[in-house]
Amino acid sequence: MDPSLLNGGELLMKKVSAVVLAAGHGTRMRSKRAKVLHPVAGRPMLWYVVSVARQITDGHVVVVIGHQADHVQAFLEQSKSEFDPFDIVVQAKQMGTGHAVQQGQAVLMPNGQPVSRNCLIVNGDTPLLTRSTVERLLAQHDETNAVLTILTTDLPDPKGYGRVVRGETGELVKVVEDRDAGPTERAIHEVNAGIYVADSQFLFMALARIQPDNAQREYYLPDLIGLAVTHGGRVTGMKTLENSECLGVNSREHLAAVERVMQQRIRTRWLEQGVTMLDPQTTFIEDRVTVGQDTVLYPGVTLEGQTEIGTDCVIRSSSRVTNSVVGNVVTIEDHSVIDGAMIEEGATVGPFARLRAGSIVRSNAQVGNFVELKNTELGAGSKANHLSYLGDTSVGQRVNIGAGTITCNYDGFRKEHTIIEDEAFIGSDTQLVAPVKVQKGAVVGAGSTITQDVPPDALALSRSQQSNREGWASRRRASYPETPTPSATSKSTPSSRKKKKGSHE
Ligand code: UD1
Ligand code: CA
C-alpha cells in the first residue's frame, strides 16, 4: 500500500480532496445568471472544473456555493451521476476566496483530522483547466514537500489577475491583487491562476489567520502564500506555458475568449478522430456532441446539446443539429434545422428542412426542401420532398407524400394524430384533417381534403369534378380583337393606353 495513505500508521487517509469555489457574485458579468452557470460549449463552466476535480481526487470534492445557491445546487444535483461523491457547502455571505475555502473545513477536517493529506483548490470560473496540468501540479507539490503549490502563468495582459511577486532567488513571496497593486507590481506579467494544492493541516490553520486588510475588505486565499513563508513552510509555484488554461472568466469578453479556446479544442478532438471540416473556424460543436469517422462538416455547421452524428455523414452549410441522433451515411443539406429528432442510416434531409421534437426519419427516407416534421415518424424509404407540414403523424414505409401536403393536426384545442400506412400515395396539395387514417396502399388524389379514413388500396378524391368547355378560350380571344400583344404594350403611347381604359381587362 502507498505509505502516504497512512497517517500515524493508523488512520487510512485519502491523498487528495478538492474544493471548488463557486459562491461568488460574478458582478463583472452583468448577468442575471450566476457566473459559474454560464455555458461554455453548451455546459455550465462549473461542470468542467468539477469534472477535473472529480477525476484527479480520490477523496471528497466540496463545492462552495452561495450566490444563487438554489440554481447552482440544482445544476450539481442534475449532474450527480457524473460528480458523485461530492459535498455542497454554502458560503452564506461572500467574504472572499479565503473565507469560501474555510466553509469546507467541516467536511475536510471533521474533528480536527484532515480526511486527505492534500487539498486541491480550484476557482469555479476557470473552465479551460486540464487534468494533466492539475496532475503535474500535484506531482510537484509531492516532490517538493511543499505546504502550498500554486499554478501561475505569464499573461500578455495580466489586468484583473493577482500578480505573483517573487524574491531575489525566484522564490514566491506573495500574490498581490490587481486592485491592491502598485505600479511595480502591476507591471508583473506572471499571474496567479487560482489553482492551488495545499497540505490540508496547513490550509485550515492558515485560513484562520488571514485578515481582510485589502482594498476589497475580503479574506484573500492567495494570502496563504505570505503566511506559509512567515511560518517557514515551503511554497512553490508551477508556471504553465499553456496560459489559456488559466483564463478566469470575469466578464463577457473573457467568456467569449474561453469559448473560442474550447471550440478549438473540441474541433481538434474530432479532426483527430477522422472528421473532415471544410472550414473548422466556422464549425461550432458543443462538448457533449459526438461525431463519427469520415463525416464531413461544411462551413457554418452547428452541432449542439446531446447530439450524436454517425459515420460517413455529410452536413452542409449553415445547418444546425440540436439534441438529435443521426445515423450513419445521412446527408443533411444546407440550411436545415434539426432539433430533438432521430434520423436513421441512409436518409437525406433538406435543404431548408425543419425537424422538430419527436421526429423520426427512418432509414433511406427523404425529407426535402421546406418540409417541417413535428412528432412525426417517416417510415423507411418514404419521401416527403417538397413544401409540407407533417405533425403528430405516423407514416409507414415506401409512402410518397406529395408536394404541399399538410396535416391539420390542431383543432384549436387539441392535437390529433394522422396515420398513413405503408405504400400509400398522397397526391400534392392534400390536407389531412386529423384524426384520420390512410390505409395501406391507398391513393389520395391531388388537391383533396381528407376528413374520413381511406380504406386499403382505395382512391380518395374530395375535390369537385372538373368540367372542360371545348373552344371556350379561343372564342374569348376572338371577342377581344383589340387586345394588345405583349410587344405592343411595351411600345404603347399615352394615347393608346387611354384607349385601353374602357376595355375589359
Ligand atoms: C482570483 C484571485 C487572483 C487570481 C484569479 C485567477 C483571490 C483573492 N484572487 O481573483 O489572485 O489571479 O482569481 O482567476 O483569490 N468565490 C467564492 N466566494 C467568494 C468570492 C469568490 O466562492 O466570497 C469564487 C467565485 O465564484 C470564483 C472564484 O471564487 O469562482 C474566484 O473569485 P473571483 O472573484 O473571480 O476572483 P478574481 O478576482 O478573479
Ligand atoms: Ca475570476
Side-chain angles (χ1 to χ4, degrees):
M1 183 187 286
D2 183 344
S4 64
L5 291 176
L6 294 171
N7 177 23
E10 282 170 18
L11 183 67
L12 183 68
M13 249 209 320
K14 289 185 179 128
K15 271 164 90 175
V16 192
S17 294
V19 179
V20 178
L21 304 185
H25 273 265
T27 326
R28 293 163 280 183
M29 290 293 280
R30 297 186 186 280
S31 176
K32 292 184 285 299
R33 190 194 293 236
K35 176 169 76 173
V36 293
L37 294 185
H38 275 264
V40 172
R43 296 184 189 270
M45 66 174 93
L46 183 60
W47 184 90
Y48 298 93
V49 181
V50 179
S51 297
V52 168
R54 183 68 268 154
Q55 285 165 33
I56 61 98
T57 56
D58 46 8
H60 288 247
V61 172
V62 179
V63 186
V64 185
I65 65 172
H67 179 65
Q68 288 198 7
D70 294 355
H71 291 123
V72 182
Q73 179 158 3
F75 157 68
L76 290 166
E77 299 289 347
Q78 231 176 62
S79 317
K80 208 173 166 61
S81 60
E82 291 168 281
F83 296 156
D84 249 1
F86 68 97
D87 292 275
I88 294 173
V89 300
V90 178
Q91 182 191 24
K93 197 163 170 231
Q94 287 79 59
M95 294 160 72
T97 46
H99 179 257
V101 177
Q102 237 177 347
Q103 311 310 304
Q105 186 159 353
V107 177
L108 299 174
M109 286 267 282
N111 316 315
Q113 281 297 322
V115 295
S116 63
R117 199 184 54 170
N118 289 321
C119 185
L120 166 75
I121 303 159
V122 201
N123 281 356
D125 62 358
T126 52
L128 295 172
L129 181 70
T130 63
R131 175 181 182 164
S132 65
T133 297
V134 175
E135 277 169 351
R136 284 195 295 127
L137 191 71
L138 281 163
Q140 174 170 327
H141 182 80
D142 273 346
E143 280 157 23
T144 55
N145 256 324
V147 293
L148 180 66
T149 304
I150 79 164
L151 183 68
T152 77
T153 197
D154 285 330
L155 289 183
D157 178 14
K159 196 167 171 288
Y161 288 83
R163 308 298 204 285
V164 175
V165 178
R166 290 180 181 268
E168 280 169 8
T169 55
E171 79 282 8
L172 287 183
V173 175
K174 59 181 175 177
V175 165
V176 179
E177 292 307 308
D178 195 62
R179 293 185 209 214
D180 304 303
T184 329
E185 288 152 344
R186 281 217 181 103
I188 298 172
H189 283 262
E190 188 182 5
V191 302
N192 167 28
I195 321 292
Y196 322 75
V197 180
D199 174 276
S200 302
Q201 208 106 40
F202 160 77
L203 174 67
F204 291 106
M205 177 278 290
L207 282 175
R209 297 180 191 205
I210 287 180
Q211 294 300 319
D213 42 11
N214 50 58
Q216 298 201 90
R217 311 298 309 151
E218 283 188 354
Y219 295 87
Y220 284 170
L221 183 61
D223 285 358
L224 287 180
I225 299 166
L227 282 165
V229 172
T230 317
H231 288 82
R234 195 179 171 135
V235 190
T236 65
M238 188 183 96
K239 198 194 264 191
T240 173
L241 298 177
E242 296 291 325
N243 59 14
S244 66
E245 271 196 45
C246 302
L247 286 176
V249 177
N250 294 332
S251 63
R252 305 280 180 155
E253 206 179 338
H254 295 156
L255 183 65
V258 161
E259 181 73 49
R260 203 156 43 237
V261 178
M262 193 64 93
Q263 282 304 319
Q264 177 75 45
R265 279 188 194 172
I266 294 172
R267 287 191 298 257
T268 304
R269 188 197 303 164
W270 294 114
L271 288 166
E272 283 174 354
Q273 293 293 315
V275 174
T276 293
M277 293 174 208
L278 272 70
D279 184 14
Q281 296 299 322
T282 66
T283 310
F284 183 93
I285 308 174
E286 287 189 352
D287 192 59
R288 284 181 296 167
V289 173
T290 61
V291 189
Q293 212 178 31
D294 288 315
T295 281
V296 179
L297 305 177
Y298 276 73
V301 164
T302 299
L303 305 177
E304 293 178 334
Q306 192 79 55
T307 287
E308 290 169 34
I309 309 285
T311 62
D312 304 286
C313 294
V314 176
I315 306 184
R316 288 195 171 258
S317 298
S318 304
S319 290
R320 168 163 71 84
V321 186
T322 306
N323 294 322
S324 295
V325 177
V326 176
N328 301 335
V329 210
V330 166
T331 299
I332 298 173
E333 298 284 1
D334 313 59
H335 297 279
S336 295
V337 178
I338 320 287
D339 191 349
M342 184 168 103
I343 306 174
E344 287 186 352
E345 183 152 348
T348 63
V349 171
F352 299 101
R354 180 170 184 213
L355 305 191
R356 292 164 57 199
S359 298
I360 303 174
V361 179
R362 296 284 181 203
S363 56
N364 302 311
Q366 296 175 14
V367 178
N369 37 222
F370 305 105
V371 172
E372 175 183 349
L373 262 52
K374 190 223 65 177
N375 190 29
T376 285
E377 177 175 346
L378 189 65
S382 292
K383 299 173 186 175
N385 272 335
H386 328 268
L387 299 158
S388 286
Y389 170 64
L390 302 176
D392 304 301
T393 302
S394 306
V395 180
Q397 301 184 16
R398 297 174 299 282
V399 168
N400 187 76
I401 305 283
T405 298
I406 307 287
T407 54
C408 310
N409 60 328
Y410 185 51
D411 63 5
F413 298 95
R414 285 190 315 177
K415 298 283 168 69
E416 300 286 1
H417 216 84
T418 301
I419 297 169
I420 304 170
E421 292 185 349
D422 295 352
E423 279 134 30
F425 183 97
I426 310 295
S428 297
D429 194 23
T430 294
Q431 300 92 52
L432 297 150
V433 182
V436 75
K437 186 195 274 188
V438 178
Q439 289 188 272
K440 193 167 189 288
V443 172
V444 174
S448 294
T449 301
I450 300 299
T451 53
Q452 294 162 29
D453 291 358
V454 183
D457 294 319
L459 167 68
L461 277 177
S462 76
R463 57 181 191 237
S464 53
Q465 197 81 48
Q466 180 171 332
S467 70
N468 293 339
R469 299 186 199 170
E470 292 292 335
W472 184 90
S474 59
R475 282 198 300 279
R476 181 168 181 267
R477 275 194 298 275
S479 71
Y480 295 105
E482 284 176 59
T483 303
T485 61
S487 58
T489 312
S490 63
K491 285 182 206 149
S492 66
T493 60
S495 63
S496 69
R497 255 184 251 138
K498 208 172 183 183
K499 197 171 161 193
K500 250 175 65 191
K501 216 172 179 182
S503 61
H504 304 275
E505 283 189 85

